[in-house]
Amino acid sequence: MLGSGLSNQVGASVGALAFPVIGPAGVVAVRQWVAAVLLYAVGRPRFGRFTGAQWRPVLGLALVFAAMNLSLYTAIDRIGLGLAVTLEFLGPLAVALGGSRRRLDAVCALAAAGAVAVLVRPRPSTDYLGIGLGLLAAVCWASYILLNRTVARRVPGLQGSAAAAVVSAAAYVPIGALVLWRHPPTGAALLCALTAGVLSSAVPFLADLLALRRVPAQFFGVFMSVNPVFAALVGWAVLDQRLDPLAWAAVLVIVGANALALTASAARRPR
């Protein structure tokens, strides 16, 4: 789990090193292609056998794949890795809190809202577009969680996720081709983008599969809540992006609210 979280954030930071050459869209295109190759090899989707009821959530998931990564990487380019990933983590928090009437969950929601207010407080350097893109990534992640549940019910095994990754990668072919034609990549930039695809897609996917065989899903979800902390630390170490003390406090509040909400949600499920 530690390897998965760190690999994901290191991959994003390495990908950010290629932004000056090919931009976030170029890096995302390469990442989508790498993810598609991996998931196709693992899931082996049988496209010709999908019914309309199966294709609809798969296509929705493909759209979410495409929008989530592009909005997140563009947010990273504008507001930094730590802040972008923290805002993105509001997505799973919203899903965990959705529809709840428990007082504890209300406290978690209020704490997270206060932390977000601290993170987006007006300052001379505030990038509202970057913040908006981070929040869009959060909406996409929440949609990803909900759509994945539908895909898992309707499509056997990993075929649904694999099919969505392939469709998303195919949609990025013209986008990636145009970006790479207009901004020819250097060898270093292309290597960074490929590394981002491997570290942010292949390694976390395989590590998560191995981890979930050994630990309960609840513990896995709570542990993954520390990803914003990993992102802030990796952003500082690799990209020299520093958060001020108030921002660090807000990040830790959101991490704590997410972990607490996931724990409470798991405790409410019937055994």
Side-chain angles (χ1 to χ4, degrees):
M1 292 187 297
L2 179 64
S4 173
L6 286 175
S7 178
N8 200 1
Q9 306 312 326
V10 170
S13 68
V14 171
L17 297 175
F19 288 170
V21 180
I22 59 176
V27 174
V28 170
V30 174
R31 176 182 167 169
Q32 295 295 101
W33 298 335
V34 171
V37 170
L38 167 73
L39 285 173
Y40 181 82
V42 175
R44 297 291 182 179
R46 300 178 180 181
F47 296 101
R49 297 187 179 182
F50 284 8
T51 66
Q54 291 174 319
W55 267 118
R56 284 190 290 273
V58 165
L59 292 176
L61 191 59
L63 177 62
V64 167
F65 268 144
M68 181 169 63
N69 288 325
L70 183 58
S71 57
L72 175 63
Y73 274 57
T74 308
I76 291 171
D77 186 36
R78 301 183 69 94
I79 61 177
L81 181 63
L83 179 52
V85 171
T86 300
L87 293 175
E88 186 195 30
F89 257 75
L90 295 173
L93 176 59
V95 173
L97 296 175
S100 173
R101 296 183 180 179
R102 285 168 54 101
R103 186 176 301 174
L104 176 62
D105 290 338
V107 171
C108 290
L110 289 173
V116 171
V118 170
L119 290 174
V120 303
R121 66 192 187 278
R123 285 173 294 174
S125 60
T126 299
D127 187 326
Y128 291 106
L129 177 57
I131 290 170
L133 289 167
L135 294 174
L136 175 59
V139 172
C140 289
W141 197 350
S143 303
Y144 167 82
I145 294 170
L146 298 174
L147 278 169
N148 245 332
R149 293 175 182 173
T150 303
V151 169
R153 287 196 302 266
R154 298 185 185 181
V155 186
L158 296 174
Q159 290 190 57
S161 296
V166 171
V167 172
S168 178
Y172 265 98
V173 169
I175 299 172
L178 178 62
V179 170
L180 297 179
W181 177 67
R182 294 185 61 184
H183 305 280
T186 62
L190 191 57
L191 180 61
C192 285
L194 288 170
T195 301
V198 172
L199 293 182
S200 294
S201 297
V203 173
F205 178 76
L206 295 175
D208 290 349
L209 284 179
L210 293 173
L212 285 168
R213 294 177 182 176
R214 293 165 170 79
V215 299
Q218 173 200 348
F219 181 74
F220 178 86
V222 171
F223 187 89
M224 287 297 101
S225 298
V226 302
N227 263 287
V229 176
F230 289 162
L233 291 173
V234 170
W236 169 65
V238 178
L239 303 173
D240 196 29
Q241 298 171 346
R242 300 172 186 271
L243 298 181
D244 59 46
L246 268 179
W248 264 113
V251 169
L252 294 176
V253 166
I254 290 174
V255 167
N258 198 47
L260 190 58
L262 286 172
T263 303
S265 176
R268 291 198 303 270
R269 295 193 193 107
R271 296 184 182 275

